[in-house]
Amino acid sequence: MQYFITGASGFIGKRLVRKLLERDDSIVYFLVREAERDALAGLYEFWGCDRSRVIPVVGDLTQPLLGVAAVDRKKLGKKTTHFFHLAAIYDLSAEADIQLKVNVDGTRNTVQFAEAIGARHFHLFSSIASAGLFEGLFREDMFEEAEGLDHPYFRTKHDSEGIVRRECSIPWRIFRPALVVGDSQTGEMDKIDGPYYFFKLIQKMRKLLPSWMPTVGIEGGRINVVPVDFVVNAVDHIAHLKGEDGKCFHLVDPTPMRVGDLLNTFARAAHAPEMTMRINAALFSFIPRHMRKGLLALTPVRRIRHAVMKDLGLPDDMFRFVNYPTRFDCRETTRVLKGTGIAVPPLDSYAWRLWDYWERHLDPDLFVDRSLRGQVEGRVVLVTGASSGIGKATAWKLAEAGAHVVTIARDAEQLAEVVREFEAAGLKLHAYVGDLADMASAEAVTQQVLAEHGVVDILINNAGRSIRRAIENSFDRFHDFERTMQLNYFGALKVSMGVLPKMIEQKHGHIINISSIGVLTNAPRFSAYVASKSALDAWTRCAASEFADRGINFTTINMPLVKTPMIAPTKLYDQVPTLTPEEAAALICDAVIHRPVRVATRLGITGQVLHALVPRVAQIIMNTTFRMFPDSSAAKKKEAGLLPEIPSADQVAFQQFMRGIYF
């Protein structure tokens, strides 16, 4: 038996070819573009055969008679028993012109070619989309009744059917599959489509919440999905039956699920929380259509909607089809498949296979280089204050990842020693001496960096000054507040505003500001330090909003306590849980990779929540710790050389309780 197939390299097409090859003495011809001719090895490996049984025919769907040479048409003779037309644009977001050219004009060209080679049966792969947005039950014998065909995909699939029905002189059969998902036995799939668009959202929910946590979701119409193996087996069987010409067959699930049930089925497969409360999208249908269109056309609404959909990994027009109004009758299909064992399996019996295959092979994050090297190799990264502590550890990791690391620090001797350490390890650190607390120095050194490196791709404002002293002991030390503000706020701003023009020019950049957990917890005894970091946080939030459309990202890291030279004079911290500089550097590098808006520890977030919800309780807690741990001798202006105070029982108990709690 001789077959001819268009779209043989597609997801359904290549499986249909493999199924047809199971028939004795079957030979399959398939259409292939000239540019694809030399890349067929993978297909033949999939089919498990050579070119003696599956023969390529060079052509183009958009050309008359498929652009197949006369000599090739002659070779086909009048021997083609079944002609399967699968090639089409299935992308809902594709331009209308290309859909018209391929789906409509391509079908007309295919029908004419099939007639020219004398094919005996013509089989069109259409789609349930040919019914448009018909409200109610759409039968297999219905066609002209289709409505709501405004979308290019719906219109072109409908019109392609019309061509076969009106212009094809060969006995024909039409197949309308539902949304085709992966193989029910293997989960195999080759593209993100249909329900797969929601998988990223489900994955994010799993990462954020435990599986037992109830969530709020959406409800809508019934979404009809079928596995690819059912479609292939059904088509193979129906195509070879006698007496079924001139009919249409709905390859659909007789009992489709509603949107909410479908998503919950995949949530269970992914071990993610289910949507126990679902809001029916139909509730919004009371708003007149013209008002909805006008509202969605507003620039702020459009941009917010686009940003949300992009973050969720969903196409912009996805929710247009949530309230899908059409149900599909499949009596004819059920009749011809009776007794064959070919049926749509329940989704919950194979949903886990679909999820597992997607997460292992199709998850978009698998194809994004999330390594530090992938994000910084060859890029200029400026880390202020890299002569010690967090800055030094961060610069080391970045240099190892292939970044052009630049640093600014005020201690020339210490900076030179760090440069020698880098060189001894085979790493390069471009060091500049400058005092970022001095505005003239900060501006000059920033311009020097730009002059010698051209641009700063990533800026990490790490240089800072911390002062631990109660306000009561600071009445005559106003300069403490001035010094912290000068470096932590004005110095960081001077560098940031120096590099921003180049970032704007190149339309990308990333500024990471190292803040403090104290900003979230309102830590007493750190009023000068926390105030300066809070100012930087506020500026960062404003800047992030202003540059949201310019390709420039801002990240604030509310860093927990880190064991660095900056806190060394305070011996109390020897007994308090802290991060190592390397651990802190890992947080910063993770921010470089993922570019989050904020990085905060659970302890810091807890403190922020307490201050927001129960401010008086939060004050009492912070005041208790404030009184429990007094200022250092230096802060209280006590004479040096005095024996240290013995920790109280409360202090020891608190230190032990907090040990390890910094995350």
Side-chain angles (χ1 to χ4, degrees):
M1 198 170 290
Q2 183 171 296
Y3 303 93
F4 194 102
I5 296 183
T6 68
S9 62
F11 179 61
I12 301 175
K14 67 182 183 180
R15 286 163 175 78
L16 180 59
V17 171
R18 186 170 62 182
K19 184 68 177 179
L20 295 174
L21 290 173
E22 295 177 3
R23 295 179 176 269
D24 295 337
D25 302 323
S26 59
I27 297 177
V28 180
Y29 291 84
F30 68 101
L31 189 71
V32 60
R33 291 194 295 266
E34 182 65 44
E36 301 171 334
R37 193 172 185 177
D38 297 328
L40 299 177
L43 281 176
Y44 283 103
E45 183 179 354
F46 181 84
W47 294 326
C49 69
D50 56 26
R51 300 193 180 208
S52 65
R53 293 192 64 196
V54 187
I55 305 163
V57 177
V58 177
D60 189 330
L61 195 70
T62 63
Q63 300 299 316
L65 295 177
L66 303 184
V68 176
V71 62
D72 291 329
R73 296 200 303 268
K74 187 176 181 180
K75 287 180 181 178
L76 291 168
K78 304 290 183 179
K79 301 177 182 178
T80 301
T81 310
H82 294 276
F83 194 111
F84 293 92
H85 179 42
L86 283 80
I89 298 292
Y90 292 98
D91 187 357
L92 291 175
S93 62
E95 296 292 332
D97 290 344
I98 186 66
Q99 293 197 56
L100 178 65
K101 189 174 183 181
V102 174
N103 294 353
V104 180
D105 296 342
T107 298
R108 179 172 284 111
N109 295 333
T110 302
V111 168
Q112 292 172 354
F113 176 78
E115 291 173 336
I117 65 172
R120 300 173 199 172
H121 298 277
F122 187 89
H123 306 283
L124 173 68
F125 262 71
S126 183
S127 167
I128 58 173
S130 63
L133 295 175
F134 180 87
E135 293 192 13
L137 185 68
F138 202 82
R139 301 190 310 272
E140 290 161 300
D141 61 350
M142 295 171 68
F143 173 71
E144 298 292 349
E145 295 84 351
E147 57 189 26
L149 297 168
D150 297 337
H151 194 280
Y153 181 68
F154 289 179
R155 169 55 64 183
T156 57
K157 296 306 289 184
H158 181 82
D159 290 349
S160 65
E161 269 199 39
I163 290 172
V164 174
R165 293 172 179 272
R166 291 187 297 267
E167 302 178 20
C168 186
S169 61
I170 303 170
W172 52 263
R173 301 176 192 185
I174 294 174
F175 300 96
R176 293 178 185 156
L179 291 173
V180 181
V181 296
D183 193 290
S184 65
Q185 300 302 311
T186 65
E188 187 179 4
M189 183 58 165
D190 67 351
K191 63 178 180 177
I192 304 298
D193 193 17
Y196 289 89
Y197 285 124
F198 292 95
F199 280 20
K200 201 66 197 175
L201 173 61
I202 293 172
Q203 188 186 62
K204 289 182 178 181
M205 291 176 61
R206 186 183 65 186
K207 290 179 179 179
L208 290 171
L209 302 170
S211 59
W212 49 263
M213 179 73 71
T215 63
V216 179
I218 60 170
E219 187 61 279
R222 296 188 182 274
I223 300 297
N224 207 300
V225 300
V226 290
V228 66
D229 48 315
F230 162 75
V231 173
V232 168
N233 292 336
V235 169
D236 174 65
H237 176 75
I238 298 172
H240 293 91
L241 292 176
K242 295 181 180 180
E244 303 296 338
D245 293 328
K247 296 180 181 179
C248 179
F249 300 93
H250 283 165
L251 307 181
V252 299
D253 187 346
T255 56
M257 291 182 171
R258 289 193 175 275
V259 170
D261 294 328
L262 182 94
L263 295 180
N264 275 346
T265 299
F266 286 114
R268 287 192 296 272
H271 301 287
E274 296 183 38
M275 298 176 295
T276 53
M277 179 180 174
R278 303 200 287 264
I279 300 172
N280 198 325
L283 293 173
F284 300 98
S285 62
F286 73 93
I287 303 174
R289 187 176 179 183
H290 68 278
M291 291 183 62
R292 292 200 304 269
K293 290 182 66 175
L295 182 64
L296 293 174
L298 295 174
T299 299
V301 176
R302 189 177 69 253
R303 290 185 62 189
I304 293 171
R305 178 173 176 270
H306 177 73
V308 171
M309 298 297 281
K310 183 180 179 181
D311 187 58
L312 297 176
L314 299 172
D316 280 344
D317 60 352
M318 171 57 65
F319 286 107
R320 179 178 180 182
F321 306 109
V322 167
N323 285 324
Y324 194 65
T326 315
R327 293 178 291 113
F328 295 93
D329 179 74
C330 57
R331 297 178 200 179
E332 285 297 302
T333 304
T334 302
R335 175 182 61 81
V336 296
L337 294 180
K338 187 176 181 179
T340 64
I342 302 171
V344 181
L347 180 61
D348 56 8
S349 69
Y350 66 95
W352 66 273
R353 293 191 179 96
L354 302 183
W355 176 268
D356 184 71
Y357 190 90
W358 173 85
E359 199 160 39
R360 292 177 185 272
H361 302 282
L362 298 176
D363 183 357
D365 285 346
L366 296 175
F367 308 100
V368 178
D369 191 346
R370 298 293 184 184
S371 67
L372 185 61
R373 179 171 292 276
Q375 297 298 314
V376 303
E377 188 172 24
R379 294 193 171 187
V380 179
V381 185
L382 171 56
V383 185
T384 64
S387 58
S388 65
I390 300 172
K392 178 182 176 181
T394 302
W396 193 281
K397 289 180 179 291
L398 293 168
E400 286 182 324
H404 297 298
V405 184
V406 181
T407 189
I408 302 172
R410 63 178 179 171
D411 192 324
E413 185 176 337
Q414 189 177 14
L415 196 55
E417 177 60 31
V418 172
V419 170
R420 286 192 290 272
E421 286 183 41
F422 273 64
E423 290 176 345
L427 303 174
K428 180 68 175 177
L429 178 64
H430 305 273
Y432 296 82
V433 178
D435 185 0
L436 298 182
D438 181 279
M439 295 300 98
S441 174
E443 182 173 0
V445 73
T446 301
Q447 293 306 312
Q448 184 183 357
V449 170
L450 291 172
E452 296 183 13
H453 297 275
V455 69
V456 172
D457 297 296
I458 303 171
L459 167 63
I460 302 173
N461 280 312
N462 167 74
R465 173 181 284 116
S466 177
I467 294 178
R468 181 180 181 269
R469 182 176 282 110
I471 297 174
E472 191 175 354
N473 294 321
S474 304
F475 292 150
D476 59 347
R477 295 184 61 87
F478 191 76
H479 60 279
D480 285 349
F481 298 87
E482 293 177 314
R483 289 193 303 170
T484 52
M485 189 65 73
Q486 198 72 13
L487 178 59
N488 298 350
Y489 181 56
F490 291 117
L493 257 62
K494 198 67 174 177
V495 180
S496 298
M497 297 179 74
V499 304
L500 268 170
K502 282 290 185 178
M503 289 184 175
I504 295 171
E505 184 181 324
Q506 66 181 7
K507 299 181 179 178
H508 74 82
H510 189 191
I511 295 178
I512 300 174
N513 290 322
I514 308 303
S515 183
S516 169
I517 189 175
V519 174
L520 304 178
T521 61
N522 303 310
R525 205 167 270 113
F526 288 92
S527 59
Y529 179 68
V530 169
S532 64
K533 289 297 187 180
S534 295
L536 183 61
D537 280 19
W539 180 88
T540 304
R541 292 193 297 272
C542 294
S545 298
E546 290 189 24
F547 293 102
D549 60 342
R550 307 293 287 273
I552 302 171
N553 295 283
F554 290 82
T555 298
T556 296
I557 301 180
N558 295 110
M559 192 71 73
L561 200 61
V562 183
K563 196 170 185 61
T564 65
M566 188 169 67
I567 71 167
T570 306
K571 300 304 179 184
L572 167 68
Y573 292 145
D574 292 341
Q575 305 299 322
V576 175
T578 57
L579 294 179
T580 65
E582 288 71 26
E583 290 171 326
L587 283 180
I588 297 172
C589 290
D590 191 64
V592 169
I593 295 170
H594 299 286
R595 297 188 291 275
V597 173
R598 180 178 297 275
V599 176
T601 62
R602 293 184 179 91
L603 185 61
I605 294 172
T606 300
Q608 187 180 38
V609 170
L610 286 175
H611 279 285
L613 299 181
V614 284
R616 182 64 66 185
V617 173
Q619 286 179 356
I620 293 172
I621 293 172
M622 299 309 292
N623 180 262
T624 301
T625 60
F626 171 70
R627 297 302 179 191
M628 190 181 299
F629 297 100
D631 275 352
S632 64
S633 297
K636 293 189 290 188
K637 304 176 185 178
K638 290 186 176 181
E639 296 182 11
L642 296 178
L643 293 175
E645 296 180 2
I646 300 174
S648 68
D650 286 345
Q651 291 174 336
V652 173
F654 182 82
Q655 291 167 359
Q656 292 299 317
F657 175 75
M658 292 294 293
R659 188 175 299 276
I661 303 178
Y662 54 77
F663 51 85

